[in-house]
Amino acid sequence: ELTLYDNLGSTIQDGLEWGISKELFAKSKYHVLKIFSNGSLYHYTFGNYPVNEKNQSGKKIPGTPLINLNSGIQYSFINKFTLNIFHFYSDKIPLDNNN
């Protein structure tokens, strides 16, 4: 069986990614506190993209959330005990071309 696809349109893929972290008490031999945040902001949309006589222009591309965010706090004590607290967030994810 042979399946062929035509690339009929265009996409617009604007975005921003970031990663920041800060260690507190890094020179202490007893404890270290690390705070961090990583994330992305993706504005991925269809440009001129006709599908079955319907133009998808301006609609979000399936599978790409607008915002992803990962952040957390990590505490280490005497290099033997570690406590991690994490937060994960993902915005709504469009599942098909009609969003």
Side-chain angles (χ1 to χ4, degrees):
E1 181 176 323
L2 178 64
T3 304
L4 299 174
Y5 297 94
D6 290 325
N7 189 359
L8 300 174
S10 63
T11 60
I12 300 167
Q13 300 181 11
D14 295 324
L16 174 69
E17 296 178 346
W18 68 87
I20 56 174
S21 67
K22 177 68 177 171
E23 280 191 8
L24 304 170
F25 316 112
K27 294 185 180 183
S28 170
K29 57 183 175 177
Y30 295 110
H31 55 102
V32 176
L33 181 65
K34 183 177 181 179
I35 302 168
F36 61 91
S37 176
N38 303 295
S40 61
L41 173 65
Y42 293 137
H43 186 66
Y44 287 5
T45 57
F46 289 114
N48 181 22
Y49 198 86
V51 176
N52 297 333
E53 300 178 12
K54 184 177 181 184
N55 198 331
Q56 303 293 327
S57 298
K59 293 195 176 183
K60 295 178 182 177
I61 296 176
T64 57
L66 179 63
I67 298 171
N68 281 312
L69 177 65
N70 305 309
S71 56
I73 299 172
Q74 181 180 52
Y75 176 74
S76 297
F77 183 69
I78 313 177
N79 285 333
K80 292 188 179 197
F81 303 101
T82 302
L83 173 66
N84 293 297
I85 301 172
F86 295 106
H87 173 262
F88 300 101
Y89 172 78
S90 182
D91 205 359
K92 294 179 183 177
I93 300 173
L95 298 178
D96 60 18
N97 288 350
N98 293 319
N99 297 166

